[in-house]
Amino acid sequence: MPNDPTPHAQANYQVRLDWGRPGLDRLAPADVVILVQTLGLSADALTAIEAGATLPVEGLPTAALVRAAAGDAAEVLVGGIRNARAVADRVLEIQTARAARTSIALIAVGYPDGSDAETLRFAVDDLLGAGAVIAALGDLGIDHASPDAALAGEGYRALRGAARHLLSASGTGRSLTDAGRADVVQAAAARDAASVVPTLIDDAFRAD
């Protein structure tokens, strides 16, 4: 890997992690970008694809981030706790097909902080989702992780038994539960319950 062009680019590492559009801009360009919004984009994309549909990018709150990611990487995937192993398997397939070490940028999407769309609110649900994917990558030997990614991955390993509780107790999880969508929170905590990988193709997320 090349030396970091900036201290926060994480270019020395194969697996990288940062937050939102600012984080995508900070990281060095990667071959694969994995977007994680455990109780938002990740849940919506998995639900659509499992129902045999697609999730168009147009109109999504994350549309600008998705398009920016597409401009930076050959592959843009959506991951989370529910499909962590499937995402890791897909990354390994990409790396094998390329016959070269493949750089991976995980972007925990987060949520706008109030009315300021440019300031992200930390979301523990996204940290858990990103950590699940990073841990699954490590299980396949894709483990040259930046400190940011390593902390998320090992944090998930340590707390995965409490993932359902942590998602339910998170701010996002409580908001969804209060809105009558507790089923979304419960489904998102089911480790590897989904075998599909939402992949950006022609401006929509489709089955890989």
Side-chain angles (χ1 to χ4, degrees):
M1 294 288 176
N3 289 327
D4 281 349
T6 72
H8 300 290
Q10 302 177 38
N12 289 349
Y13 301 95
Q14 183 178 13
V15 184
R16 310 157 189 171
L17 172 67
D18 211 319
W19 287 81
R21 174 63 187 274
L24 178 67
D25 292 342
R26 272 190 297 269
L27 293 182
D31 302 308
V32 177
V33 172
I34 303 170
L35 301 175
V36 180
Q37 191 181 42
T38 305
L39 299 177
L41 174 64
S42 300
D44 293 343
L46 284 168
T47 297
I49 290 172
E50 288 177 326
T54 65
L55 183 68
V57 172
E58 185 177 358
L60 291 177
T62 57
L65 172 58
V66 172
R67 293 194 172 106
D72 281 356
E75 299 274 356
V76 178
L77 315 176
V78 170
I81 297 172
R82 286 194 72 226
N83 70 338
R85 178 54 190 261
V87 170
D89 286 342
R90 175 66 181 137
V91 171
L92 184 59
E93 289 174 2
I94 292 168
Q95 179 165 274
T96 300
R98 294 180 70 247
R101 174 179 263 190
T102 296
S103 54
I104 305 130
L106 282 105
I107 301 298
V109 174
Y111 296 89
D113 188 7
S115 60
D116 184 0
E118 297 301 317
T119 302
L120 290 180
R121 171 176 60 77
F122 172 83
V124 68
D125 34 297
D126 292 355
L127 184 62
L128 281 169
V133 175
I134 292 163
L137 288 167
D139 290 343
L140 297 181
I142 303 175
D143 56 4
H144 187 221
S146 70
D148 311 66
L151 184 63
E154 292 308 308
Y156 176 78
R157 288 187 194 278
L159 294 169
R160 59 187 170 190
R164 191 177 301 276
H165 165 71
L166 291 170
L167 288 187
S168 298
S170 71
T172 313
R174 291 169 61 190
S175 295
L176 285 171
T177 299
D178 290 346
R181 301 186 65 201
D183 58 318
V184 175
V185 183
Q186 295 302 306
R191 167 82 179 193
D192 295 333
S195 59
V196 296
V197 180
T199 303
L200 184 63
I201 303 170
D202 297 333
D203 217 29
F205 287 106
R206 309 173 188 273
D208 63 330

